[in-house]
Amino acid sequence: MISATLEKKVDFNQVKKERVAIVTGPKAFFPAVERIVFEGPASDNPLSFCYYDENKIVNGKTMKEHLRFAVAYWHTLCGDGVDMFGGPTRQWPWLSASDPLQAGRDKMDAAFEFITKLGAPFYCFHDTDLVDQAATVKESEKRLQAMVDYAKEKQKASGVQLLWGTANLFSHARYMNGAATNPEFSVLAQAGAQVKSALDATIALGGKGYVFWGGREGYMSLLNTNMKREVEHLGRFLALARDYARKNGFTGTFYIEPKPMEPTKHQYDFDAAAVLNFLRHYDLLGDFKLNIEVNHATLAGHTFQHELQAAADAGALASIDANRGDYQNGWDTDEFPMDIFELTQAMLVILEAGGLKPGGINFDAKLRRNSIDLTDLFAAHINGMDTFARSLLAADKLLQNSPYRAWRKERYASFDSGDGARFEAGGMTLESLRDFAVQNGEPVPKSGKQELYEMLINKYL
Ligand code: XLS
Ligand code: NI
Ligand code: NI
């Protein structure tokens, strides 16, 4: 059904100039797909946006500025459908070259063609997504540098920018006992070399941020683990990375991406609260903020909104990895986002926190193993972007036009004046609380009215 509508003609004169320019390599990998444009909710063209209208102004900012969408290189370009029980199900045409640098260039041609046809302003990568690592540190550095030069041209030609870079410190066998928290110093040093090179790449490409996700930074068994020492090593390692990057002109933000487990049984960056505590303890909170991922929040037993709020309240909410877990499965299924009710609640937190910046919304999400068509890649991202756009519109209306804010404010009104206000300002003692309780007697019960709030959200979707 999708391919039938691929032919549908779109009036490209209507496309606004601000859009990223389509950049194709020597040969097009998605020849059947043109630029994806906004056609409105009535459109039945699956290769169009129903809600994401990048130049639409929502409370003073364009949708593009609010949402800052990024394509994740690892899932979108490298994902071949492999799972724990079976090999690849997809043979994307850009993944066939045997020479690593040719393979890297093909992948990057496909990446920029895809990103620019989709109209996403940003992308994100791990060092190893751009090009396979070589046998030595020096050779790996050279390869990455070559890809950075190629990416520079592509970024310039398209206007697409790097949201964040990172180093893959979890796939190589050497990291089986961890990277920065490895009990063996020589492995930690290898991780240092890799982070240095990934930072060089991020800086050279003008990356707005740099992410640390510690997939193997944790333990499988406490019996063989000195937790205190490992966490101290992590604190020291991150400070070294920060110092190196700052010395070399990096003005962006560092992010920690919390996740409680998987692949490690227990990960040190468990959730936002644990990471904030760690950052404060190692005096890193000035340079580091949080990159909150939906499915990691739910794995930690929280809602996505909870993690966003925890980060926002510490002034550390900067970026998100957008995806979604499965209610029936207990692992990181990384599905594309599609739940408007949940995302509207998340957008309420994001908007009230002042938005995502310098980060954005990175689609750390993958096609299902049995989705094997090129157009599935477009459908996944288009629907993800539309879901966010719709949630942004709903959340903005809730904040501007509904009683949502007033209700919540009213709930705390007893702290706005009198002894409540005095308590907040630090002007009460435990004895004066007691005297107040004696004078005022048993408090009148007040309803939390959760159902009314839920009804309100539904009305605005
Ligand atoms: C894995 C993480 C990973 C990070 C980047 O669960 O989400 O993809 O985002 O290393
Ligand atoms: Ni994840
Ligand atoms: Ni992620």
Side-chain angles (χ1 to χ4, degrees):
M1 195 192 91
I2 288 183
S3 49
T5 45
L6 277 180
E7 311 306 324
K8 184 165 173 167
K9 286 277 163 282
V10 175
D11 180 3
F12 288 108
N13 295 327
Q14 306 235 319
V15 176
K16 297 267 189 344
K17 292 260 164 24
E18 299 82 36
R19 290 212 64 167
V20 293
I22 290 180
V23 170
T24 315
K27 81 171 193 339
F29 286 107
F30 309 95
V33 181
E34 301 276 7
R35 203 186 260 284
I36 309 296
V37 295
F38 170 72
E39 293 183 8
S43 172
D44 60 359
N45 173 12
L47 293 179
S48 75
F49 294 116
C50 292
Y51 296 93
Y52 180 61
D53 180 3
E54 63 178 12
N55 293 307
K56 185 182 170 73
I57 304 284
V58 180
N59 194 22
K61 278 200 285 184
T62 63
M63 275 195 168
K64 187 176 167 189
E65 287 166 325
H66 272 289
L67 300 167
R68 298 168 63 81
F69 287 124
V71 170
Y73 225 89
W74 52 104
H75 287 310
T76 300
L77 281 307
C78 313
D80 56 10
V82 73
D83 76 6
M84 304 262 275
F85 298 92
T89 54
R90 295 185 280 268
Q91 274 84 39
W92 294 140
W94 54 87
L95 296 180
S96 59
S98 53
D99 173 65
L101 279 174
Q102 188 55 49
R105 281 191 295 269
D106 289 348
K107 211 194 282 186
M108 195 166 282
D109 288 340
F112 276 81
E113 185 185 340
F114 179 81
I115 297 165
T116 56
K117 285 185 169 171
L118 185 67
F122 295 103
Y123 72 117
C124 300
F125 62 71
H126 300 84
D127 50 353
T128 55
D129 302 331
L130 297 193
V131 63
D132 286 347
Q133 282 194 302
T136 66
V137 168
K138 279 191 177 166
E139 196 48 41
S140 295
E141 286 171 348
K142 254 206 241 154
R143 279 191 191 174
L144 189 59
Q145 183 55 52
M147 290 315 304
V148 165
D149 292 342
Y150 200 57
K152 252 189 206 164
E153 289 171 28
K154 296 266 180 191
Q155 288 188 193
K156 203 166 158 217
S158 62
V160 170
Q161 299 176 58
L162 178 62
L163 191 68
W164 50 261
T166 186
N168 178 331
L169 303 178
F170 43 89
S171 293
H172 195 284
R174 79 170 76 90
Y175 297 127
M176 66 182 174
N177 290 306
T181 61
N182 198 295
E184 171 60 44
F185 176 66
S186 56
V187 179
L188 184 148
Q190 284 280 334
Q194 222 184 301
V195 168
K196 177 188 173 295
S197 174
L199 279 168
D200 288 341
T202 303
I203 295 167
L205 293 172
K208 310 262 173 260
Y210 185 89
V211 163
F212 288 92
W213 169 64
R216 307 257 180 216
E217 313 293 21
Y219 62 82
M220 305 303 273
S221 167
L222 258 189
L223 291 173
N224 61 6
T225 303
N226 184 333
M227 186 156 81
K228 186 161 196 284
R229 219 166 165 185
E230 291 196 1
V231 175
E232 272 164 11
H233 293 172
L234 183 60
R236 168 94 51 207
F237 186 90
L238 295 182
L240 295 185
R242 186 259 328 265
D243 294 345
Y244 173 79
R246 293 294 184 227
K247 194 173 71 195
N248 285 279
F250 180 61
T251 55
T253 306
F254 294 92
Y255 308 113
I256 305 264
E257 183 179 317
K259 186 175 182 181
M261 66 194 90
E262 199 213 6
T264 305
K265 173 190 157 61
H266 178 95
Q267 204 174 301
Y268 295 136
D269 301 334
F270 194 94
D271 61 2
V275 171
L276 287 166
N277 178 56
F278 168 88
L279 290 175
R280 274 194 204 103
H281 185 77
Y282 290 97
D283 201 17
L284 294 166
L285 206 45
D287 296 284
F288 283 76
K289 291 186 184 303
L290 302 192
N291 180 40
I292 302 292
E293 179 163 324
V294 186
N295 208 165
H296 297 183
T298 48
L299 274 180
H302 302 305
T303 60
F304 179 41
Q305 303 88 279
H306 169 91
E307 288 293 85
L308 293 171
Q309 193 69 62
D313 289 346
L317 173 62
S319 210
I320 66 175
D321 269 12
N323 58 22
R324 177 172 185 267
D326 183 295
Y327 288 126
Q328 283 76 45
N329 293 155
W331 65 87
D332 197 8
T333 57
D334 286 345
E335 294 171 40
F336 272 82
M338 58 189 156
D339 187 323
I340 305 160
F341 182 68
E342 281 178 8
L343 276 190
T344 298
Q345 295 175 67
M347 286 310 302
L348 283 174
V349 180
I350 291 170
L351 288 179
E352 287 209 290
L356 296 170
K357 228 177 171 184
I361 297 173
N362 169 47
F363 285 110
D364 194 352
K366 60 181 179 234
L367 293 184
R368 298 304 88 194
R369 176 170 160 81
N370 54 353
S371 298
I372 58 171
D373 294 344
L374 287 173
T375 46
D376 293 334
L377 269 183
F378 278 95
H381 287 80
I382 291 168
N383 193 38
M385 289 161 85
D386 265 347
T387 308
F388 267 97
R390 213 171 154 179
S391 306
L392 167 68
L393 291 170
D396 178 61
K397 280 199 201 106
L398 274 157
L399 292 175
Q400 306 301 330
N401 310 339
S402 86
Y404 174 69
R405 270 177 163 149
W407 285 356
R408 281 204 317 178
K409 187 168 170 15
E410 174 56 27
R411 202 164 174 232
Y412 294 87
S414 61
F415 289 95
D416 289 340
S417 61
D419 284 340
R422 211 163 301 134
F423 165 80
E424 277 199 349
M428 297 280 277
T429 62
L430 199 60
E431 295 94 308
S432 55
L433 289 182
R434 184 243 169 218
D435 293 345
F436 183 95
V438 168
Q439 256 173 33
N440 290 272
E442 186 57 31
V444 181
K446 281 187 187 160
S447 172
K449 296 194 177 296
Q450 181 177 328
E451 295 78 4
L452 266 187
Y453 284 81
E454 288 165 351
M455 180 191 274
L456 189 68
I457 304 277
N458 257 344
K459 275 190 183 166
Y460 279 77
L461 295 185

